[in-house]
Amino acid sequence: MPPEPLLTTENNIDSHKNMEKADLVEPKLVGDVDVKSDVANEKMGLKQKITLWNGVTLIVGTIIGSGIFVSPKGVLMETGSVGLCLVVWCACGLISLIGALCYAELGTTITRSGGDYAYIREAFGPLMAFLQLWVNLIVIRPTAQAIVALTFAYYMLQPIFPDCNPPQVATRLLAALCISTLTFVNAMSVRAATRIQDIFTAAKLLALVIIILTGVVLIAKGSVEHLNTAFEDTNLSVGKISLAFYSGLFAYAGWNFLNFVTEEMIDPYKNLPRAIYISIPLVTMVYVLVNVAYFTAMSPQEMMTSYATAVTFGQNVFGIAAAIIPIFVALSTFGGVNGLLFTSGRLCFVGAREGQLPGIMAMISVTRHTPLPAILFTGGLSIVMLISDNIYSLINYLSFTQWLSVGGSIAGMVVLRFTRPEMKRPIKMPLVIPFLFLAIVLFLLIVPLVAAPYDTGMGVLIVFSGVPVYILGVVWKNKPKAFQDMMMSLTVMGQKTMGVSPTEDQKEI
């Protein structure tokens, strides 16, 4: 499985002083784009359009990508037995729920969009926040989106090429079409993007329900051989079990993505925690039951040699109808790309609104109320990543930094309890919960340091490569006037071309 705002005043574009600061243009310039007066006079900003159901489907749809269909064998290979494998899947769901409870407090305390970026900035300042933004926006998110899109393309083309791998060119072109289509949808309408997420989440859940019900039928027929000997050949090595948890938790990645769009939720104080409480147990139950179903139709040895577990399951059970499984995997990954693009665009938008990215990225379509430039940027960068042959290695390098980011957010939550006790906290978890989760994160950070020091070192190196970028792009305010004029011209041209404007609460840097 592939596998992360503040008050402001208007900017005066006639002032070179303000040009130095943020290269932002005040909303009235959008009149040059021939925007209707009633739209131009409307308060600019992200609109609250995400319902509780949209929130549930965003979390579920982002977590459930291709992993549960393609390679649950990762956990099995490390545990050695069916029984311990299922225990690890349950435990990974519990760990994800503990982390999500912490994020429920964070999301209702700091209600700005941006997720980890917003929380780390609040607790540890702009440099640490920028490093989190840098590694997520420039590498992790685009490469993850590219990989999920490639998986979509592979399974869409598999029925056409049943006896061999699809041509690489065709796979990449279809992946690019997938990203381009979803980038367009996300740029045009929040409602359409969430509607797609709803539909494709329902489709992937339908596929998983079919697998689960098939497993129930097989159990009723007596196909319980591998379940009766569930703990045979169990491997109790601490190192192996830790790697099994790492693989399992990677399949749960995305449980914190709703926090990236908090500002767009209807009644976030109620709906954010409710969406979390519904989604994580639902995904955990589905993951465990699907794995049980797999073991009714194939042996552990067969699963460990299978490239795509669900496809092998379908071939063993459905016969000629097995072709439906690749289609369902493709639908699942299509929804996964949509969820990644939706949240990645908001991360880019918030980073720019905080003055750590070019000001044009913090602007909103005056007619669509979507962060149009930010979405186009992240979608375009994802397509560029399709050119690389090394994106899978890049994701491996940065798995470490993803947990570092999550750990930083939870650590920030604890720090803010003591440094900002006056903050309004509609949800307040007992401190034992974040401390327990931090212990788990620490374990997950130590394991790759020992097991894969090269990959971990590369991840850390990529993170700190953002330091000189931060110094040159953010800290250095007195840039040459020629550069400032060029950025202002590009900003104005971008506004006129895309019909975008700063939000009402754009921060003055």
Side-chain angles (χ1 to χ4, degrees), residues 145-161:
Q145 286 152 196
I147 286 176
V148 182
L150 286 169
T151 307
F152 160 80
Y154 179 89
Y155 282 96
M156 280 297 290
L157 293 171
Q158 193 185 58
I160 303 174
F161 300 92

Side-chain angles (χ1 to χ4, degrees), residues 55-181:
V56 170
T57 60
L58 184 62
I59 296 175
V60 173
T62 304
I63 292 177
I64 302 177
S66 62
I68 191 62
F69 296 100
V70 177
S71 55
K73 67 180 182 181
V75 177
L76 178 63
M77 288 176 66
E78 305 298 343
T79 57
S81 71
V82 172
L84 187 55
C85 173
L86 296 176
V87 169
V88 168
W89 280 107
C90 292
C92 288
L94 180 60
I95 291 171
S96 299
L97 181 60
I98 293 172
L101 291 175
C102 297
Y103 272 71
E105 175 176 329
L106 282 166
T108 53
T109 303
I110 303 168
T111 55
R112 301 191 301 275
S113 292
D116 295 338
Y117 171 79
Y119 311 144
I120 290 174
R121 183 181 177 91
E122 189 76 28
F124 301 114
L127 173 58
M128 299 304 295
F130 179 82
L131 294 179
Q132 194 277 342
L133 176 69
W134 168 257
V135 75
N136 271 273
L137 195 61
I138 304 301
V139 183
I140 291 180
R141 290 307 191 93
T143 50
Q145 286 152 196
I147 286 176
V148 182
L150 286 169
T151 307
F152 160 80
Y154 179 89
Y155 282 96
M156 280 297 290
L157 293 171
Q158 193 185 58
I160 303 174
F161 300 92
D163 301 321
C164 63
N165 289 329
Q168 194 174 74
V169 173
T171 303
R172 293 190 179 191
L173 285 175
L174 187 55
L177 179 62
C178 167
I179 294 172
S180 300
T181 301

Side-chain angles (χ1 to χ4, degrees), residues 388-399:
S388 173
D389 291 325
N390 298 315
I391 52 179
Y392 290 93
S393 298
L394 201 54
I395 286 295
N396 289 336
Y397 294 157
L398 296 171
S399 294

